[in-house]
Amino acid sequence: AGRDATRAFASGDFTPAGLVDNVSGLSPSELLSIHSWLSFYSHNYDPVGKLVGRFYDENGAPTEALREVEAAIEEALKFQAESEQKKQQFPPCNSEWSSATGTRFWCSRQSGGVQRDWAGVPRQLHRPGSPGSVCVCVRSTGPPWGQPDSSQHSDRGDLDNPQLRQYEGCHPLAQQCVL
């Protein structure tokens, strides 16, 4: 009566080769797209049964494959939450490039799509295990991220974070930097 083509909702491959139920090897973001799709359908439609196959047995009970996918989705949700928290701490810089002036990075109270009450200063963020760096906006006053406001801090925000590097040739507290 039905066919499970879950993988196609994540991959976008609606050819016969992509219309399968095997979701192994999908990235965390692809698993999250399946999770979103499942949430949409469970909130908007009444279930009429379960399809016997990879995820449900002939009695309608979940299989080990379903439990593995659910665990992988939980891990992807945790990773997504951690990424969002990091984006709050270190929002991406605004940037532009032109042949006349080169690359310009700058910070505002909305850069990176993160609304906040501080603009910050551009810094290179080096994450362990990741090649290269990304430009992020860093608070330059107050206590470091996640520490209560107390007189025990140096009032430098996150400028002393060991994963951050100042852009060479830019003033340490400039809200924009041209390279």
Coordinates of all heavy atoms in Angstrom, one line a residue, residues 143-144 147-155:
P143 N 32.1 40.7 31.4 CA 32.7 39.4 31.7 C 32.7 38.4 30.5 O 32.0 38.6 29.6 CB 31.7 38.8 32.8 CG 30.4 39.4 32.4 CD 30.7 40.8 31.9
P144 N 33.6 37.4 30.5 CA 33.6 36.4 29.5 C 32.3 35.7 29.4 O 31.5 35.6 30.4 CB 34.7 35.5 29.9 CG 35.6 36.3 30.8 CD 34.7 37.2 31.5
Q147 N 30.1 33.5 32.2 CA 30.6 33.8 33.6 C 29.7 34.9 34.2 O 29.4 35.9 33.5 CB 32.0 34.3 33.6 CG 32.9 33.1 33.2 CD 34.4 33.5 33.4 OE1 34.7 34.5 34.0 NE2 35.3 32.7 32.8
P148 N 29.3 34.8 35.4 CA 28.4 35.8 36.0 C 29.1 37.2 36.1 O 30.4 37.2 36.2 CB 28.1 35.3 37.4 CG 29.2 34.3 37.7 CD 29.6 33.8 36.4
D149 N 28.4 38.2 36.0 CA 28.9 39.6 36.1 C 29.5 39.8 37.5 O 28.7 39.8 38.4 CB 27.9 40.6 35.7 CG 28.5 42.0 35.4 OD1 29.7 42.1 35.3 OD2 27.7 42.9 35.3
S150 N 30.8 39.8 37.6 CA 31.4 40.0 38.9 C 32.6 40.9 38.7 O 33.1 41.2 37.6 CB 31.8 38.7 39.5 OG 32.9 38.1 38.8
S151 N 33.1 41.3 39.9 CA 34.3 42.2 39.8 C 35.6 41.3 39.6 O 36.7 41.9 39.6 CB 34.4 43.0 41.1 OG 34.5 42.1 42.2
Q152 N 35.5 40.1 39.4 CA 36.6 39.2 39.3 C 37.1 39.1 37.9 O 38.1 38.4 37.6 CB 36.2 37.8 39.8 CG 35.7 37.7 41.2 CD 36.7 37.4 42.2 OE1 37.7 36.8 41.9 NE2 36.6 38.0 43.4
H153 N 36.5 39.7 36.9 CA 36.9 39.6 35.5 C 37.7 40.8 35.1 O 37.7 41.8 35.8 CB 35.7 39.3 34.6 CG 34.7 40.4 34.6 ND1 34.9 41.5 33.8 CD2 33.5 40.6 35.2 CE1 33.9 42.3 33.9 NE2 33.0 41.8 34.8
S154 N 38.3 40.8 33.9 CA 39.1 41.9 33.4 C 38.4 42.9 32.6 O 39.0 43.7 32.0 CB 40.3 41.3 32.7 OG 39.8 40.6 31.5
D155 N 37.1 42.8 32.4 CA 36.2 43.7 31.6 C 36.7 43.7 30.2 O 36.7 44.7 29.5 CB 36.3 45.1 32.2 CG 35.1 46.0 31.7 OD1 34.1 45.4 31.4 OD2 35.4 47.2 31.5

